[in-house]
Amino acid sequence: MPNFALRLRTYLLNPYVLGAVYAVLTVIISVQHYLKGPGSYNNYLIFVKPFFNLLAEKNLYLEYPDYYYDTYKYSPTFALFMGPLALIPAWLGLMIWNVVNSAVFYFAARRMFPDTRRQAIFLLLVFFDVLTALHNSQANCLLAGLMMWTYVHLKDQRAALAGLCLALAAFIKVYGIAVGLLFLFYPGFWRNTLWAAAWMVVLAFMPLLVVSWPAFLMIYKGWYDIVRESATGIQLSVIGILQSWFGFPLQYKGIVQALGMGLLLLPLVRWRSWSKPDYQRLYLCSLLIFVVIFNQMAESPTFIIAVTGFMLWFIYYGRYMRLGWPLFWFAFIFTSISSTDLMPSYIRETYLDVYKMKAVPMVVAWLVIQVQLLLLAWHRSQVSEELTASDTSYLASEGTMTR
């Protein structure tokens, strides 16, 4: 029995094994939803069918019940990029789409840690949220991956790739552009920014490859209108918590969002810390959580982005804090598994959904991270010795593990 437990632990802490698990489950989930019928992969249809409307120079942002239910809310460029998948059978396109999401996230996650042990731990900790996102065939794993890749390429001084990842994130979901704040922290700010701006311009005008100029302007106006209209809904967010708990008047939601933006930008006053790796990593964690909890339309599958930021924070910093472990279990129960079958449906529907509990641990975690960013010198002195010792022990324990 001890040998079996040791062998199981060795497999679970091998990112290559977890990569195979991710790949197999991605294929299984894709097949499962395809066999259930179009209603089960409607989100995928929302992504691919607008390509045909783009070719026909139609407004992408109207209802098209012959194609899908609900409305398309993504950029014209995204509709163009989904064209190759729209032209192949749905079962194959759905599988490729989910594989792309899973692969971009998986390889970005591995670049976030120097050792395979922590790579594997991270992939295990976000496992339930990845599955939730894949079951909904949404672009959230892809967006989280692109935001992490932006950070990785900035750190490696690959300006063109960092700019491309930022631009792709922004044209998938507008709030992906928030990761551009990381450009402040790395050498060559203007060079990096110009690369990002150049990619943004190129991607913005790419629909002109298939539409006329008047149709181009009409379609972009439709995108602006649908984004503005969508801002009227309230789901899993800070505003949703305030509204469900305290009856917060929704006409004042702009004040909450402005306060959130102010708190996000406040740590930037520590400009001397911008070049410190701890600060850069912490700020990435903050951004990944911020774009979800202050997005009033955030849904359950969106939380893979916030949980990515939280688990990065927990592995690097949170586990050394007294508050870290209680906050981890709070997040694991109420954010990660609250939307799964592991949570009794009665509890989920009667309490968790009503009080937007999925968002609450992420709000608490984000506030903790903001405090750490403001008190960076003290925080680093508290964890640096433990982190260095942990890094050494992790690397030493790798032994014959495959890298």
Side-chain angles (χ1 to χ4, degrees):
M1 193 69 177
N3 289 335
F4 172 77
L6 180 61
R7 194 175 296 114
L8 178 62
R9 178 175 176 273
T10 301
Y11 277 114
L12 288 178
L13 294 182
N14 187 326
Y16 293 103
V17 172
L18 288 173
V21 172
Y22 269 57
V24 170
L25 287 176
T26 299
V27 172
I28 291 174
I29 289 170
S30 302
V31 172
Q32 173 190 0
H33 285 281
Y34 178 77
L35 293 177
K36 286 183 177 180
S40 189
Y41 56 91
N42 183 69
N43 287 326
Y44 170 73
L45 297 177
I46 291 175
F47 295 150
V48 297
K49 293 300 184 181
F51 174 71
F52 299 113
N53 292 330
L54 185 68
L55 294 181
E57 298 192 341
K58 296 180 179 179
N59 186 340
L60 307 183
Y61 305 98
L62 304 177
E63 294 186 2
Y64 294 95
D66 291 341
Y67 282 152
Y68 47 79
Y69 62 86
D70 208 344
T71 52
Y72 179 75
K73 299 180 178 70
Y74 299 82
S75 72
T77 303
F78 185 65
L80 178 66
F81 282 174
M82 295 300 286
L85 298 184
L87 297 172
I88 62 178
W91 67 268
L92 180 59
L94 177 61
M95 188 176 301
I96 292 174
W97 169 244
N98 283 334
V99 166
V100 168
N101 270 266
S102 188
V104 171
F105 181 86
Y106 170 80
F107 288 108
R110 292 203 56 192
R111 290 296 303 274
M112 297 304 298
F113 302 94
D115 54 281
T116 56
R117 182 185 177 93
R118 278 185 295 180
Q119 292 168 16
I121 291 173
F122 176 80
L123 290 167
L124 283 171
L125 294 181
V126 299
F127 183 73
F128 287 108
D129 297 276
V130 169
L131 292 185
T132 298
L134 292 176
H135 272 294
N136 286 269
S137 304
Q138 292 197 9
N140 298 304
C141 286
L142 177 58
L143 183 58
L146 287 171
M147 293 177 77
M148 286 190 286
W149 274 117
T150 302
Y151 165 80
V152 169
H153 290 315
L154 283 171
K155 190 171 61 170
D156 293 344
Q157 298 185 28
R158 296 187 178 124
L161 290 175
L164 176 59
C165 289
L166 168 64
L168 288 172
F171 278 96
I172 293 173
K173 292 190 177 181
V174 176
Y175 56 74
I177 200 171
V179 77
L181 283 171
L182 295 181
F183 281 45
L184 291 169
F185 309 146
Y186 295 90
F189 169 77
W190 292 112
R191 178 196 61 195
N192 297 341
T193 303
L194 287 173
W195 268 112
W199 281 118
M200 293 282 285
V201 171
V202 169
L203 294 182
F205 285 96
M206 282 191 73
L208 283 173
L209 295 172
V210 297
V211 302
S212 65
W213 179 253
F216 176 83
L217 295 178
M218 177 271 294
I219 291 169
Y220 264 95
K221 182 180 183 303
W223 185 31
Y224 171 80
D225 290 341
I226 197 72
V227 169
R228 186 177 60 179
E229 180 184 336
S230 299
T232 61
I234 301 295
Q235 295 197 50
L236 299 170
S237 63
V238 171
I239 297 170
I241 294 170
L242 292 174
Q243 196 276 330
S244 61
W245 286 31
F246 308 109
F248 183 79
L250 298 183
Q251 62 266 33
Y252 299 123
K253 63 184 179 182
I255 297 175
V256 175
Q257 292 170 330
L259 288 173
M261 181 61 71
L263 289 175
L264 176 70
L265 298 178
L266 183 59
L268 295 181
V269 300
R270 296 186 58 86
W271 59 270
R272 292 183 179 177
S273 298
W274 289 4
S275 62
K276 300 182 186 301
D278 284 328
Y279 184 95
Q280 295 161 357
R281 191 185 296 117
L282 274 170
Y283 209 86
L284 171 65
C285 297
S286 172
L287 285 170
L288 287 165
I289 299 175
F290 173 84
V291 298
V292 175
I293 62 174
F294 283 95
N295 170 17
Q296 63 193 45
M297 288 298 292
E299 302 172 307
S300 183
T302 315
F303 273 76
I304 178 57
I305 302 170
V307 170
T308 294
F310 174 78
M311 293 305 179
L312 285 173
W313 168 81
F314 176 75
I315 293 174
Y316 270 110
Y317 308 107
R319 60 200 175 100
Y320 301 112
M321 301 172 55
R322 290 181 181 177
L323 181 63
W325 279 101
L327 188 52
F328 167 80
W329 287 112
F330 186 36
F332 183 74
I333 294 170
F334 288 98
T335 301
S336 292
I337 69 171
S338 63
S339 300
T340 72
D341 291 337
L342 295 175
M343 181 65 65
S345 58
Y346 173 78
I347 295 177
R348 181 171 61 247
E349 295 168 4
T350 306
Y351 301 105
L352 303 187
D353 291 349
V354 171
Y355 294 103
K356 316 297 184 187
M357 285 301 300
K358 190 176 183 75
V360 175
M362 294 298 100
V363 174
V364 175
W366 185 72
L367 292 173
V368 170
I369 292 170
Q370 294 309 105
V371 171
Q372 289 179 334
L373 283 165
L374 287 168
L375 303 177
L376 182 67
W378 173 84
H379 171 67
R380 191 169 58 251
S381 69
Q382 294 294 305
V383 304
S384 59
E385 292 184 6
E386 294 94 332
L387 189 59
T388 302
S390 178
D391 287 346
T392 303
S393 64
Y394 278 161
L395 292 170
S397 68
E398 290 297 301
T400 58
M401 258 182 105
T402 305
R403 288 185 178 275

